[in-house]
Amino acid sequence: MTKFTDLALRAVMRLAVADDEEPVTTRAVAEEMAVPHAHMAKVVTRLRHLGVVEARRGRGGGLALTDFGRRSSVGWLTRTLEGEEEVVGCEADPPCPLRAACRLRGALREAQDAFYRALDPLTVADLVRSPTGPVLLSLTPRPPS
């Protein structure tokens, strides 16, 4: 899984436990997750395009997980963020000389599909049930690494 997808999943988990009274900003999520603001901004933009997160500007603005985001399958979200690329680059430049007779490519595709299927039944809301939710709420901003 890419770092981008990892950050996106952590961001939606954080937003899933956010208090509606206190807005959460991209900067705050980045600080809590100890990642650069620019990286988290790209993640939030992608999540907004997917309809998982909404952002409100101005005083009292911030990020919020949408109802769709809360109900989203973790498998769907991970698949969507990761894209349809295969685990290995058989057709890369230069292409693998074994690609015509390789059994590894099919096995890795099956493993990748099994990975996503295992995540399909979970929703974002499931991910933040106790004990995870309280831990997320206890995070304090840390300097980005």
Side-chain angles (χ1 to χ4, degrees):
M1 184 165 46
T2 62
K3 182 71 171 173
F4 187 89
T5 300
D6 175 43
L7 289 177
L9 292 172
R10 289 192 281 155
V12 296
M13 289 171 65
R14 174 58 183 92
L15 294 174
V17 297
D19 181 357
D20 291 336
E21 302 299 315
E22 189 170 328
V24 178
T25 64
T26 303
R27 186 166 305 283
V29 174
E31 289 173 0
E32 290 171 1
M33 300 298 163
V35 298
H37 176 262
H39 290 1
M40 190 56 71
K42 290 175 187 173
V43 166
V44 167
T45 297
R46 180 77 167 111
L47 292 171
R48 284 181 60 217
H49 288 301
L50 293 174
V52 173
V53 170
E54 63 182 17
R56 297 176 301 264
R57 294 187 177 271
R59 195 160 212 257
L63 304 174
L65 192 63
T66 64
D67 287 337
F68 170 72
R70 192 171 304 283
R71 292 187 322 268
S72 289
S73 158
V74 176
W76 169 81
L77 186 55
T78 304
R79 246 185 226 96
T80 303
L81 293 168
E82 288 290 304
E84 295 296 320
E85 298 210 14
E86 293 188 32
V87 176
V88 292
C90 301
E91 303 300 329
D93 188 25
C96 176
L98 301 175
R99 71 186 181 282
C102 183
R103 297 182 67 187
L104 178 62
R105 184 180 193 177
L108 290 173
R109 173 51 90 181
E110 285 181 37
Q112 184 178 30
D113 290 343
F115 171 76
Y116 290 133
R117 278 193 312 275
L119 296 174
D120 282 338
L122 292 170
T123 65
V124 171
D126 293 332
L127 293 179
V128 296
R129 289 199 173 99
S130 189
T132 306
V135 172
L136 284 164
L137 289 171
S138 72
L139 293 177
T140 56
R142 300 177 300 181
S145 54

